[in-house]
Amino acid sequence: MNSLVERQANQLRARYKFSKIDKPEIILSQIPKGLFNKLSRREYYDAVTQAVLYHWGIFKSAQRADESNATDCHCGRLDTYISGESPFFCLEDIVVQADSAYDMFYQLSQESDFAGKQFVPEQTLKFLKERTGTGVSASTIDRIFKSEFRHFWNEALTEGDRSCVLKAIQARSPNGAIDLHLDPECRAYNVYWGFDCGCCGNYPSICSDCEWICYWHDKQCINCTPTWFCGPDCRPGCPNEPWP
């Protein structure tokens, strides 16, 4: 679906100027919330209804490419859509309130401990604080946070520190096994299992992909806010139990 959206967006962009794309995008952007309020939950997640979001993704991808003067249109994969936890959106189009994101990252830094060393994402927090009261692209936040944590993991921690962190994660495994190639971002969120908050998906095995948008979605899923963003498999509580 992401590839199809990109192809259609490139065709749309080749045929119309930005001004022609802008107005229908604004109209499409208002439809998801309206549909959610009018339809039953089953009807909202029906494939026909979700088609509106595919069209919105096409217009948004063309719009983003024009705004950034990019050669091609892009529609990043949202893993929560694939796992049935959210409707279809391009990853680049997920926008969150800077204030909410700031609070979440600050709380995460207070809860994190890496062999006695605290990771405070100063660049990420500074970026969000400067944008208080505005919406910020989740993909931009993710990029800044990943870069900052990788620097902390590789430069601020010694080899002994990293070994201690891995042993702490290993202790969470019933059989003592651990995947030593676990994505660094998973360590940032204290994620090991596929059903931990921050893992993209929900499955009873070692997590294979961690991203901030998944952590944010899992936290939002507790109260499902905004409701039209949460999917049929979004369940209260974090961490979750794996689906049978």
Side-chain angles (χ1 to χ4, degrees), residues 114 117-119 148-157:
F114 299 88
K117 297 180 181 179
Q118 187 180 21
F119 168 56
E148 197 168 8
F149 183 77
R150 282 182 173 144
H151 182 270
F152 170 81
W153 179 263
N154 294 320
E155 304 298 332
L157 298 183

Side-chain angles (χ1 to χ4, degrees), residues 140-195:
T140 300
I141 298 173
D142 193 55
R143 183 175 67 253
I144 297 173
F145 180 71
K146 282 183 177 180
S147 175
E148 197 168 8
F149 183 77
R150 282 182 173 144
H151 182 270
F152 170 81
W153 179 263
N154 294 320
E155 304 298 332
L157 298 183
T158 66
E159 185 175 346
D161 291 335
R162 291 192 288 271
S163 178
C164 287
V165 174
L166 290 175
K167 287 179 180 178
I169 297 175
Q170 185 177 23
R172 298 180 58 197
S173 175
N175 56 11
I178 184 173
D179 182 352
L180 295 179
H181 300 290
L182 187 68
D183 198 359
E185 281 70 52
C186 290
R187 297 163 187 153
Y189 306 117
N190 195 31
V191 166
Y192 182 67
W193 293 110
F195 48 86

Side-chain angles (χ1 to χ4, degrees), residues 98-99 102 122-133:
D99 311 62
Y102 181 94
E122 295 179 355
Q123 294 177 27
T124 307
L125 291 172
K126 180 176 181 293
F127 171 80
L128 294 170
K129 191 169 185 178
E130 290 174 348
R131 287 157 180 80
T132 298

Side-chain angles (χ1 to χ4, degrees), residues 185-244:
E185 281 70 52
C186 290
R187 297 163 187 153
Y189 306 117
N190 195 31
V191 166
Y192 182 67
W193 293 110
F195 48 86
D196 288 334
C197 267
C199 184
C200 298
N202 187 3
Y203 43 90
S205 58
I206 294 173
C207 183
S208 60
D209 182 28
C210 296
E211 294 182 21
W212 178 75
I213 187 60
C214 297
Y215 181 81
W216 178 81
H217 177 271
D218 288 343
K219 290 292 187 180
Q220 295 296 95
C221 189
I222 295 174
N223 296 313
C224 207
T225 305
T227 49
W228 58 268
F229 174 76
C230 300
D233 286 349
C234 188
R235 297 185 297 158
C238 190
N240 292 310
E241 290 299 321
W243 287 101

